[in-house]
Amino acid sequence: MSSSPPKTPVSQLKASTETVTSVHYWTDKLLSFRTTRPAGYQFTPGQFARLGVTAGEETLWRAYSVTSAATEDELEYFLVQVPGGLFTEQLKDLKPGYPILVEKFSYGFMTVDRFVDGEDLWMLATGTGLGPFISILQDPAVWKKFRNLVLVHCVRNTEELAYQELLSALPLRPELAAGGARLQLIRSTTRDRQAVAPGNLQGRITTLLSSGELEAAAGLDITVEKSRIMMCGNPEMITATRDILYQRGLRPCRRAVPGQFVTEDYW
């Protein structure tokens, strides 16, 4: 996730200087990194943090979803390095020991508690929009709240399908398995020139949703009564998917008005 850097002085933002503890490159452009966690920092899975880096005499700020579990001692983030990007250019030499500013507050409303009912939780992600779902799926309360958990991750090429080992191991965690939910991982690529890996789909989320292929792969229908949907990723995907859901009678969650889906733009 990205946002324009605010001009507010660091002292007013109540940020703390934290330390990078590890860096992992999934591809030459996709990376995850972890930092120490500010004392007393609280967040709900699905929310994002505001990070700051120094560029000359200026401090640049960007918002990134926290991918780590809410109970962990460290905070983790998943992002793409944008060529020429003001913020990510400062991270090109990132390594353990580097300082990074973390604002002491969390933000965002793409959280599971927005849903008052429902049986099936669909999580639709493109690219680094996967980030908040990594945290959400490590929350035992989510596994108790829903009967079916369906994570759909759409990327350009297979090598961009990050966090596969962690995701595949989630149902084996005792604290999650105790909730009784079933997790399905649906992966799709849009630009692979070679044969698509067994079990993976090919095509954009909107295409797969319109054709019925997505629901067929999950063995579940998206309905007003049972389905609750979270979308995170490219704004174009979210806009198009929202239109499809509207046509099916689903509506966004509003304040004091229960709905069937929530969204978060990533760019």
Side-chain angles (χ1 to χ4, degrees):
M1 182 175 180
S2 178
S3 62
S4 299
K7 301 299 183 181
T8 310
V10 173
S11 59
Q12 294 183 29
L13 287 174
K14 298 182 179 179
S16 63
T17 300
E18 302 300 323
T19 303
V20 173
T21 59
S22 64
V23 181
H24 177 78
Y25 278 87
W26 303 97
T27 69
D28 59 341
K29 295 181 180 179
L30 289 174
L31 72 147
S32 298
F33 70 92
R34 299 175 73 89
T35 71
T36 52
R37 183 169 178 164
Y41 186 88
Q42 299 293 323
F43 73 96
T44 300
Q47 290 188 313
F48 57 86
R50 286 160 58 87
L51 307 181
V53 295
T54 301
E57 298 182 355
E58 184 179 9
T59 298
L60 303 176
W61 292 90
R62 291 293 185 272
Y64 290 102
S65 291
V66 182
T67 65
S68 46
T71 55
E72 291 187 66
D73 294 333
E74 298 180 337
L75 300 178
E76 181 171 307
Y77 313 94
F78 177 42
L79 62 146
V80 59
Q81 287 190 317
V82 181
L86 290 177
F87 190 90
T88 55
E89 275 294 307
Q90 307 306 314
L91 303 181
K92 62 183 180 181
D93 297 319
L94 193 68
K95 62 183 180 181
Y98 272 36
I100 195 161
L101 292 166
V102 180
E103 191 176 344
K104 296 182 179 180
F105 302 96
S106 55
Y107 300 91
F109 300 98
M110 199 185 71
T111 54
V112 170
D113 58 12
R114 299 286 302 281
F115 301 120
V116 298
D117 55 10
E119 295 184 12
D120 308 330
L121 178 63
W122 291 75
M123 293 157 280
L124 311 181
T126 58
T128 54
L130 175 71
F133 299 133
I134 299 297
S135 181
I136 287 171
L137 283 171
Q138 294 183 81
D139 182 0
V142 174
W143 292 68
K144 294 178 182 179
K145 184 179 181 71
F146 296 97
R147 180 177 300 178
N148 292 291
L149 304 171
V150 184
L151 175 63
V152 182
H153 189 202
C154 182
V155 295
R156 293 170 299 181
N157 303 298
T158 301
E159 59 264 26
E160 297 175 347
L161 290 168
Y163 287 96
Q164 294 305 300
E165 185 175 346
L166 182 151
L167 290 168
S168 297
L170 290 179
L172 303 179
R173 294 189 186 181
E175 74 276 16
L176 302 180
R182 178 181 63 143
L183 172 63
Q184 296 189 70
L185 305 175
I186 299 178
R187 310 168 181 90
S188 181
T189 56
T190 61
R191 298 186 185 178
D192 273 337
R193 296 181 179 179
Q194 300 178 345
V196 179
N200 287 6
L201 302 179
Q202 188 165 33
R204 299 178 183 277
I205 288 177
T206 48
T207 302
L208 299 171
L209 186 57
S210 296
S211 68
E213 191 174 354
L214 188 59
E215 289 158 281
L220 296 168
D221 293 330
I222 292 179
T223 67
V224 173
E225 294 75 23
K226 293 185 177 182
S227 306
R228 300 298 173 260
I229 303 166
M230 309 181 86
M231 294 175 273
C232 189
N234 185 293
E236 293 182 2
M237 178 277 288
I238 290 178
T239 297
T241 303
R242 185 188 293 119
D243 291 342
I244 294 172
L245 297 180
Y246 266 117
Q247 293 171 13
R248 296 192 181 192
L250 288 85
R251 295 292 180 266
C253 293
R254 304 293 188 190
R255 287 187 178 181
V257 180
Q260 292 80 42
F261 65 83
V262 294
T263 67
E264 190 84 83
D265 286 357
Y266 263 56
W267 56 94

